[in-house]
Amino acid sequence: MTDAEDRKPQSDEARSMFLPPAGAAIDGDMSTTSEFAIPEGLAVPRATGTESEATSEFALPEGLDVSQAPSAESEGSAFTPPSTYSAKYAPPAFTPPSGIPVVSLTKDVPWQDRMRTMLRMPVAERPAPEPTQRGADDSGPAVPRVLDLTLRIGELLLAGGEGAEDVEAAMFAVCRSYGLDRCEPNVTFTLLAISYQPSLVDDPVTASRTVRRRGTDYTRLAAVYQLVDDLSDDETAVSLEEAYRRLAEIRRNRHPYPGWALTGASGLLAGAASVLVGGDLIVFVAAALGAMLGDRLAWLCAGRGLPEFYQFTVAATPPAAIGVALTLGQVDVKASAVITGGLFALLPGRALVAGVQDGLTGFYITASARLLEVLYFIVGIVTGVLVVLYFGVQLGARLTPDAALEVSDDPVLLIGASMLLSLAFAVLLQQERSTVVWVTLNGGVAWIVYGAMHYAGGISQVASTAAAAGLVGLFGQLLSRVQFASALPYTTAAIGPLLPGSATYFGLLAIAQNEVDAGLVSLSKAVALAMAIAIGVNLGSEISRMFLRIGSAEKRRAAKRTRGF
């Protein structure tokens, strides 16, 4: 058999492997089969689509009944509310269906309360200002000029001794009066800053101003408050140029009292304070002379450019020197009352109250700076008095603390002395003449409450002082709200009779006599009395704001507790 014959049957056998089975229908050309061909008689369902569907281990087995999810978005989506959410009973974590409610601020309320309420709100929840603008054209106010005016007004308030919260409220009121609603003022002890952002996509505009000089002039402070009140009033149209003109007039105004009147008021204050601690007419005159001489020396040091620390040190030496001289001269007077009266005219009660108030309202940086300033002033007073007392003790002066503890039993004399002290203090603070009468009466009421609780009722001196100071703060806040003005002119001078002058002197005297432990105890008592005065004044003001709202049921928002975080 040839090779061709051998290969022929093999070719026929090989071809038979790819032929379809017998009886299979063949359409057209002959088609080949393989081991992947579907056997004959096996029924396989045809796919519904044009392309075959592949399956994997993630496919559900046939016959397993699983409920299909709805066609809407799943519950885990960030844009769908949870299944437990109900629009009718919406939890506080979600925005109500009707939107965030608008805070209604009654316009009869003083602007201080309205601005404080909005400052304590988040920026997104603050109500928008009125659409009316005070600019000269339709393009709106000049933002840099409005911010500059705001900073200048805040500078006058802060330099005049106003609290940081009230300064921020005034700055916020000025900005909103010109349509700048997204403003954030920031007040520290020496720096004022304000930031305005036109919209969420625009860059903010920020301006700042440094407060370098401070002066006590409550007449100027009242004028600035009147300007802010006119700017906040919708019925009073004050243009930007008019506001600048009025601010320039306030800066140019002279003090209401001349220099000789201030020196005389310092003497009257020291004399009245000496009567409160048991002095007579001779003690009154001696304390007045010492205080006036110390005031003139302090003015001389200020003209030479010396810091306030040395001014207080120099001003404290004349009253102490006169008291020591009377003791060395064997004059039958209470030298301790003379020195104590002179200390009353120097104690920084205004700065102490402002510092504690800033701390209680959450401005801790400003409060720390103010209290540090008070500490330096007190150290200056202590230095001046201790130097004189030390030399007096070395020269043989017999100064006994018990000589000033015999307070007069005449209540009329004490009430009159307290009112005279408040009157002199008001003149030293450069208050308006219309407020002097009110603060004098307020100081008399404070001493009546203190005397009734401490001398008649036997209550501790710290508790009596705190109660009397609280009443001063309450009455001062009421008077300021009626006048739509600052509360400082009605409260600062009224706390003058409560200042711890005698406790301070006794502590210094004990230290000068090498009784350090007794001196530190007496100075600690003086610090406790000073804190009681400051906290009492602030508490009285807060009580007035909480329960004696004028024309509004809105509550003042308090700062949220952070629990230390």
Side-chain angles (χ1 to χ4, degrees):
M1 182 182 294
T2 62
D3 295 337
E5 291 177 353
D6 293 338
R7 288 193 300 267
K8 183 175 180 179
Q10 293 177 359
S11 301
D12 294 340
E13 184 180 359
R15 283 196 301 269
S16 64
M17 295 177 60
F18 299 96
L19 292 178
I26 300 176
D27 297 333
D29 299 334
M30 182 182 298
S31 60
T32 60
T33 61
S34 66
E35 63 269 18
F36 299 101
I38 300 174
E40 183 181 0
L42 180 61
V44 178
R46 292 182 175 272
T48 57
T50 57
E51 297 180 358
S52 61
E53 292 183 352
T55 60
S56 66
E57 65 268 17
F58 299 102
L60 295 176
E62 184 179 357
L64 180 61
D65 187 12
V66 179
S67 58
Q68 299 292 331
S71 59
E73 295 178 352
S74 62
E75 185 175 342
S77 174
F79 301 97
T80 55
S83 59
T84 57
Y85 173 76
S86 174
K88 184 177 181 181
Y89 304 101
F94 296 93
T95 303
S98 57
I100 299 176
V102 178
V103 179
S104 177
L105 299 174
T106 307
K107 295 183 179 180
D108 296 335
V109 177
W111 59 267
Q112 297 97 314
D113 291 341
R114 289 186 281 125
M115 296 303 110
R116 286 192 195 96
T117 302
M118 284 187 285
L119 277 175
R120 291 173 177 263
M121 295 179 183
V123 179
E125 298 182 12
R126 294 174 184 171
E130 298 293 334
T132 58
Q133 302 285 343
R134 300 184 190 275
D137 51 7
D138 296 336
S139 61
V143 174
R145 295 198 66 195
V146 172
L147 298 183
D148 178 70
L149 176 67
T150 303
L151 290 174
R152 292 178 182 273
I153 290 177
E155 178 189 9
L156 287 180
L157 294 177
L158 187 62
E162 191 62 82
E165 185 181 30
D166 293 327
V167 175
E168 281 196 357
M171 295 173 62
F172 191 69
V174 174
C175 287
R176 286 185 63 86
S177 64
Y178 289 101
L180 307 184
D181 56 336
R182 284 179 290 272
C183 288
E184 286 296 334
N186 187 19
V187 176
T188 57
F189 185 60
T190 58
L191 181 65
L192 298 171
I194 188 166
S195 178
Y196 168 68
Q197 189 173 12
S199 65
L200 296 178
V201 297
D202 294 330
D203 295 332
V205 181
T206 304
S208 62
R209 193 175 184 88
T210 303
V211 180
R212 301 188 183 276
R213 296 187 60 186
R214 300 178 184 273
T216 303
D217 189 345
Y218 282 0
T219 301
R220 179 179 295 175
L221 189 70
V224 176
Y225 260 78
Q226 184 61 46
L227 174 60
V228 178
D229 183 54
D230 292 340
L231 291 175
S232 303
D233 190 3
D234 296 333
E235 299 178 359
T236 305
V238 180
S239 63
L240 199 60
E241 290 73 16
E242 176 67 16
Y244 266 105
R245 186 190 64 80
R246 291 180 57 178
L247 188 62
E249 289 182 356
I250 294 173
R251 286 182 174 273
R252 288 195 300 266
N253 285 344
R254 299 179 62 86
H255 299 305
Y257 305 104
W260 62 266
L262 299 179
T263 302
S266 178
L268 289 178
L269 190 154
S274 65
V275 174
L276 290 178
V277 293
D280 52 9
L281 181 59
I282 300 178
V283 172
F284 180 93
V285 176
L289 290 177
M292 288 189 292
L293 181 58
D295 181 76
R296 286 293 91 191
L297 290 177
W299 277 102
L300 180 62
C301 294
R304 301 295 181 179
L306 290 178
E308 286 185 296
F309 175 84
Y310 301 105
Q311 297 176 26
F312 275 84
T313 302
V314 172
T317 55
I322 291 178
V324 171
L326 292 175
T327 303
L328 291 176
Q330 302 297 325
V331 180
D332 188 15
V333 296
K334 297 179 180 179
S336 299
V338 176
I339 302 175
T340 301
L343 291 178
F344 264 86
L346 298 176
L347 292 178
R350 173 185 59 86
L352 176 65
V353 172
V356 175
Q357 180 181 358
D358 288 341
L360 294 176
T361 52
F363 294 85
Y364 301 113
I365 297 178
T366 307
S368 301
R370 288 186 189 272
L371 294 178
L372 186 61
E373 181 187 39
V374 172
L375 178 62
Y376 273 101
F377 291 163
I378 293 177
V379 170
I381 297 172
V382 168
T383 303
V385 175
L386 276 181
V387 170
V388 176
L389 291 180
Y390 177 78
F391 282 105
V393 171
Q394 297 299 320
L395 293 175
R398 297 181 179 180
L399 300 171
T400 56
D402 297 337
L405 294 178
E406 299 176 0
V407 183
S408 175
D409 296 333
D410 188 1
V412 178
L413 178 63
L414 296 179
I415 295 174
S418 64
M419 295 178 66
L420 180 61
L421 193 153
S422 299
L423 174 64
F425 205 170
V427 174
L428 286 175
L429 294 175
Q430 302 280 1
Q431 292 189 196
E432 291 181 302
R433 291 177 173 84
S434 59
T435 63
V436 171
V437 177
W438 292 108
V439 74
T440 302
L441 295 176
N442 201 8
V445 172
W447 183 261
I448 291 174
V449 174
Y450 171 78
M453 294 181 63
H454 180 57
Y455 296 114
I459 303 176
S460 66
Q461 190 175 2
V462 176
S464 303
T465 302
L471 197 62
V472 167
L474 178 62
F475 286 167
Q477 191 65 228
L478 289 177
L479 292 172
S480 68
R481 293 169 69 83
V482 172
Q483 300 293 331
F484 284 77
S486 173
L488 287 180
Y490 300 99
T491 58
T492 305
I495 65 174
L498 305 176
L499 292 177
S502 58
T504 304
Y505 165 69
F506 294 154
L508 299 180
L509 179 60
I511 293 176
Q513 294 176 347
N514 292 325
E515 298 178 2
V516 180
D517 294 339
L520 292 179
V521 170
S522 184
L523 290 179
S524 301
K525 180 181 178 181
V527 172
L529 291 174
M531 294 296 294
I533 292 173
I535 295 175
V537 170
N538 182 264
L539 182 60
S541 301
E542 294 297 327
I543 291 175
S544 174
R545 292 170 182 166
M546 288 175 59
F547 301 105
L548 301 177
R549 308 282 300 197
I550 299 177
S552 174
E554 292 291 334
K555 296 294 184 181
R556 179 189 180 202
R557 287 198 176 188
K560 294 182 178 179
R561 293 186 61 186
T562 59
R563 299 184 184 274
F565 297 108

